[in-house]
Amino acid sequence: MSQSMMRALRLTDWQSTPELSEVAIPEPQGSEVLVEVTAAGLCRSDLHIMGSPAGIYPYDLPFTLGHETAGRVAALGPAASGVAVGDPVVVYSRWGCGACWQCANGRDNACARTQRTAHGAGLGRDGGLADYVLVPAARYLVPAAGLDLVNAAPLTDAALTSYHAVTLSLDKLRPGSTALVLGIGGLGHMAIQVLKAVTAARVLAVDVRDAALDLAREAGADAVLSAQDLTPADVRAELGPDGATVALDFVGADATLELAAGSVAQGGDVAYIGRGGGELKVKPGLIPYEVTVRMPTWGTLPELAEVVALARTGAIHSEAEVYALDQAVEAYGRLKHGDVVGRAVIRADG
Ligand SMILES: [Zn+2]
Ligand SMILES: [Zn+2]
């Protein structure tokens, strides 16, 4: 491998397996910053992207996967400032237009104009499953000094997306409240920790896998239930007859959404987060009155800084299964089959 080339896990065709190829190391222009990748997390949404037929995602192929990245600043474009070569950072991978009403309010995650274009690292633009990743500006980098970078990578999506979903319901998660967490994977196990760290809610975790329920207990869940044949009545027997103040669905399948709608308390919140593609029906009789239904995506940059601060206190921690970059396809296979406990993370130097 020559000095100006690097490895990158690229999606070259829709409905196909990504390929590890050799590409040129990008040179930062203007305000861009080049980051040498230490670690990058694998997400279920990557499986969704690579498994989709052409036309579902507004991305041009090929591009490098990976939207959960931690590393060190390697080079700055001539107009970049605010970071220095060698700085440990985590990458905020959802890049907004910077001009719409959402971006103007600091909500790049919900940018109103980039949803139908490439919109971030590993999301149509080259991502972190490579030796280096190019970031448009230093503002998308959050300082990560003092953190283990392998464990820090999942903070940028698994923890951030969970934190954002919890934050949107924070007002209801008061002492005496309850939270139902459906699906204890990369995001769910972070959500439990976030709920315990920043709210007073009693947390019930649900998954079909025994290993995931063990992980939920370790993450601090007050109670766990197997999703097998689980009914809203079972949830209410555990959380009390009012039901769950907030139901967070990290699966997003028809069955989990039905369970969330049937278990949420009158006036509570349902958050549809997992990309399971299920349908949540809203009509009287199917969902209690005064319920707020949300479909959050990612989190904001300020929230990523808060997540990093929370990780620094030790209050949240990602359970990582570590792989080398040339094992990424194998690791995606394990993720697809539900065999990953916590988050699969690729170490770039592995
Ligand atoms: Zn993701
Ligand atoms: Zn925007």
Coordinates of all heavy atoms in Angstrom, one line a residue, residues 1 15-16 20 39 46 55 65 68 95 136 152 183 185-186 199 214 229 249 276 290 300-301 304 309 315 322:
M1 N 0.9 -1.2 0.0 CA 0.0 0.0 0.0 C 0.9 1.2 0.0 O 1.7 1.4 0.9 CB -0.9 0.0 1.2 CG -2.0 1.0 1.2 SD -3.3 0.7 2.4 CE -2.6 1.2 3.9
Q15 N -28.1 -3.7 -2.6 CA -28.4 -5.1 -2.3 C -27.1 -5.9 -2.4 O -27.2 -7.0 -3.0 CB -29.5 -5.6 -3.1 CG -30.8 -4.9 -2.7 CD -32.0 -5.5 -3.5 OE1 -32.1 -5.4 -4.7 NE2 -32.9 -6.1 -2.8
S16 N -26.0 -5.4 -1.9 CA -24.8 -6.2 -2.0 C -23.9 -6.0 -0.8 O -24.2 -5.2 0.1 CB -24.0 -5.7 -3.3 OG -23.3 -4.5 -3.0
L20 N -13.9 -4.2 0.8 CA -12.7 -3.5 1.3 C -11.8 -3.2 0.1 O -11.4 -4.1 -0.6 CB -12.0 -4.4 2.3 CG -10.9 -3.7 3.2 CD1 -11.5 -2.5 4.0 CD2 -10.2 -4.7 4.1
A39 N -11.5 4.1 15.5 CA -12.5 3.1 15.6 C -13.8 3.6 15.0 O -14.1 4.8 14.9 CB -12.8 2.8 17.1
D46 N -26.8 0.5 8.7 CA -25.9 0.2 7.6 C -26.5 -1.1 6.8 O -26.4 -1.1 5.6 CB -24.5 -0.2 8.1 CG -23.8 1.0 8.7 OD1 -24.2 2.2 8.4 OD2 -23.0 0.8 9.6
G55 N -32.7 3.4 -5.3 CA -33.9 4.3 -5.2 C -34.4 4.5 -3.8 O -35.2 5.5 -3.6
L65 N -18.8 3.2 4.0 CA -19.8 3.1 5.1 C -19.1 3.6 6.4 O -17.9 3.8 6.5 CB -20.2 1.7 5.2 CG -21.2 1.2 4.1 CD1 -21.2 -0.3 4.2 CD2 -22.6 1.8 4.3
E68 N -20.2 6.2 12.7 CA -20.0 6.2 14.2 C -18.5 6.2 14.3 O -17.9 5.1 14.5 CB -20.6 5.0 14.8 CG -21.8 5.2 15.7 CD -22.2 4.0 16.4 OE1 -21.5 3.0 16.4 OE2 -23.3 4.1 16.9
W95 N -24.6 15.6 8.5 CA -24.2 16.9 8.1 C -25.4 17.6 7.4 O -25.8 17.2 6.3 CB -23.0 16.8 7.1 CG -21.8 16.1 7.8 CD1 -21.5 16.1 9.1 CD2 -20.8 15.3 7.1 NE1 -20.4 15.3 9.3 CE2 -19.9 14.9 8.1 CE3 -20.6 15.0 5.8 CZ2 -18.8 14.1 7.8 CZ3 -19.5 14.2 5.5 CH2 -18.6 13.8 6.5
P136 N -16.4 17.9 6.8 CA -16.5 19.2 6.1 C -16.0 20.4 7.0 O -15.6 21.4 6.4 CB -18.0 19.4 5.9 CG -18.6 18.0 6.0 CD -17.7 17.2 6.9
A152 N -15.5 5.2 22.6 CA -16.2 6.4 22.3 C -16.9 6.5 20.9 O -17.8 7.2 20.8 CB -15.1 7.6 22.3
G183 N -36.1 -3.5 22.5 CA -34.9 -3.8 21.7 C -33.7 -3.3 22.4 O -33.4 -2.1 22.5
G185 N -30.2 -3.5 21.8 CA -29.0 -3.7 21.0 C -28.1 -2.5 21.3 O -28.0 -2.0 22.4
G186 N -27.4 -2.1 20.2 CA -26.4 -1.0 20.3 C -27.1 0.3 20.9 O -26.5 0.9 21.8
T199 N -32.6 10.6 34.3 CA -34.0 10.7 34.7 C -34.2 9.9 36.0 O -33.4 9.1 36.4 CB -35.0 10.2 33.6 OG1 -35.1 8.7 33.7 CG2 -34.6 10.6 32.2
D214 N -29.7 -9.9 29.6 CA -28.6 -9.8 30.6 C -27.9 -8.5 30.5 O -27.5 -7.8 31.5 CB -27.6 -10.9 30.3 CG -28.1 -12.3 30.7 OD1 -29.1 -12.4 31.4 OD2 -27.5 -13.3 30.2
D229 N -44.2 -13.6 23.2 CA -45.7 -13.6 23.6 C -46.0 -12.5 24.6 O -47.0 -12.6 25.3 CB -46.1 -14.9 24.2 CG -45.8 -16.1 23.2 OD1 -46.0 -15.9 22.0 OD2 -45.4 -17.2 23.7
D249 N -39.2 2.7 21.2 CA -39.1 1.5 20.4 C -37.8 1.5 19.5 O -37.8 2.2 18.5 CB -40.4 1.3 19.5 CG -40.4 0.0 18.8 OD1 -39.4 -0.7 18.8 OD2 -41.5 -0.4 18.2
G276 N -37.2 -0.7 11.8 CA -37.8 -2.0 11.4 C -38.8 -1.9 10.3 O -39.3 -2.9 9.8
E290 N -54.1 11.9 24.3 CA -53.0 12.8 24.7 C -51.6 12.3 24.6 O -50.7 12.8 25.1 CB -53.3 13.3 26.2 CG -54.6 14.0 26.5 CD -54.6 15.4 26.0 OE1 -53.5 16.1 26.1 OE2 -55.6 15.9 25.6
T300 N -28.6 16.3 18.2 CA -28.0 17.5 17.7 C -26.5 17.5 18.1 O -26.1 16.7 19.0 CB -28.7 18.8 18.4 OG1 -28.4 18.7 19.8 CG2 -30.2 18.8 18.1
L301 N -25.8 18.5 17.6 CA -24.3 18.6 18.0 C -24.2 18.9 19.4 O -23.4 18.3 20.1 CB -23.7 19.7 17.1 CG -22.8 19.3 16.0 CD1 -22.5 20.5 15.1 CD2 -21.5 18.8 16.5
L304 N -24.5 15.9 21.3 CA -23.3 15.0 21.3 C -22.3 15.4 22.3 O -21.7 14.6 23.0 CB -22.7 15.0 19.9 CG -21.5 14.0 19.7 CD1 -21.7 12.6 20.2 CD2 -20.9 14.0 18.3
A309 N -19.8 14.3 27.5 CA -19.6 14.7 28.9 C -20.1 13.7 29.9 O -19.5 13.3 30.9 CB -20.3 16.1 29.2
A315 N -21.0 7.6 33.6 CA -22.4 7.2 33.7 C -22.9 6.4 32.5 O -23.8 5.6 32.7 CB -23.2 8.5 33.8
V322 N -15.1 -6.0 19.5 CA -14.1 -5.3 18.6 C -13.6 -6.2 17.5 O -13.3 -7.4 17.7 CB -12.9 -4.8 19.5 CG1 -11.9 -4.1 18.6 CG2 -13.3 -3.9 20.6

